Amino acid sequence: MKRKQEKPAYDRIAAGERLRCRRLELGWSRELVAERLGVVNKYYADIERGTCGMSVETLINLSRLYGVSLDTLIYGEKEKKSAVSQEEQLMRGLNGMPQVVQDYCLRMLWLFADGLRAAQEEAAEYETGPETVKSSSDSEKNSGSEA
């Protein structure tokens, strides 16, 4: 008879350490994470220390907030690289940020897109051939100011 491959046991202290490391990687404070989760700071600090467990809802919310799988949070297993699009990675990253940072990033993306569009239009005009552009001295000559 084959034995099932057993998952490692859940270790609250190790899980808390993984959460703390991920939070620090992102440069977030405990207070910010607690606020984003809708929990009090002390409760989140206890989770990171491993002195208390967490509900399934909190675990799922942490997974989403930090952009890591539940297996990674619970067991510390390395995530398998999946074919996640750049757009999905961007959205996951934005979702984990405070609203003011999300708004700023989106404004920057719109500005970039507008600049790119303008550059493409300018390049298209250049490729079709330069229009005849009168210099300012040509304009003065033809404006009837000839003496």
Side-chain angles (χ1 to χ4, degrees):
M1 223 187 273
K2 287 186 178 179
R3 297 184 98 193
K4 286 185 179 180
Q5 188 176 7
E6 293 183 26
K7 290 248 186 202
Y10 172 62
D11 180 350
R12 285 193 317 212
I13 295 172
E17 180 63 18
R18 285 188 288 278
L19 290 169
R20 187 183 71 78
C21 288
R22 181 66 177 145
R23 176 178 58 79
L24 294 174
E25 277 177 20
L26 296 169
W28 294 348
S29 68
R30 269 196 203 119
E31 293 80 14
L32 174 70
V33 174
E35 180 182 318
R36 297 293 313 254
L37 292 173
V39 300
V40 296
N41 186 34
K42 181 177 180 338
Y43 173 61
Y44 183 69
D46 288 344
I47 290 172
E48 278 194 3
R49 280 193 292 274
T51 57
C52 75
M54 61 190 114
S55 68
V56 172
E57 290 83 10
T58 300
L59 187 61
I60 290 169
N61 289 335
L62 281 166
S63 171
R64 288 180 180 155
L65 180 65
Y66 286 144
V68 296
S69 72
L70 291 171
D71 279 349
T72 298
L73 289 181
I74 297 169
Y75 303 116
E77 293 179 357
K78 298 289 183 202
E79 293 191 40
K80 297 177 183 96
K81 297 289 180 188
S82 62
V84 177
S85 69
Q86 288 180 332
E87 293 84 5
E88 180 65 23
Q89 289 176 359
L90 177 64
M91 291 310 298
R92 285 181 184 175
L94 282 174
N95 284 334
M97 295 180 185
Q99 189 62 47
V100 67
V101 176
Q102 289 181 26
D103 293 344
Y104 177 79
C105 289
L106 291 173
R107 281 196 310 272
M108 292 297 106
L109 286 171
W110 279 113
L111 287 172
F112 175 77
D114 287 344
L116 183 61
R117 194 173 312 111
Q120 288 171 335
E121 288 171 3
E122 189 175 307
E125 287 176 17
Y126 180 76
E127 288 175 2
T128 59
E131 293 181 21
T132 309
V133 179
K134 295 181 182 180
S135 70
S136 59
S137 61
D138 288 342
S139 297
E140 289 173 10
K141 290 178 188 174
N142 296 328
S143 65
S145 62
E146 295 175 9

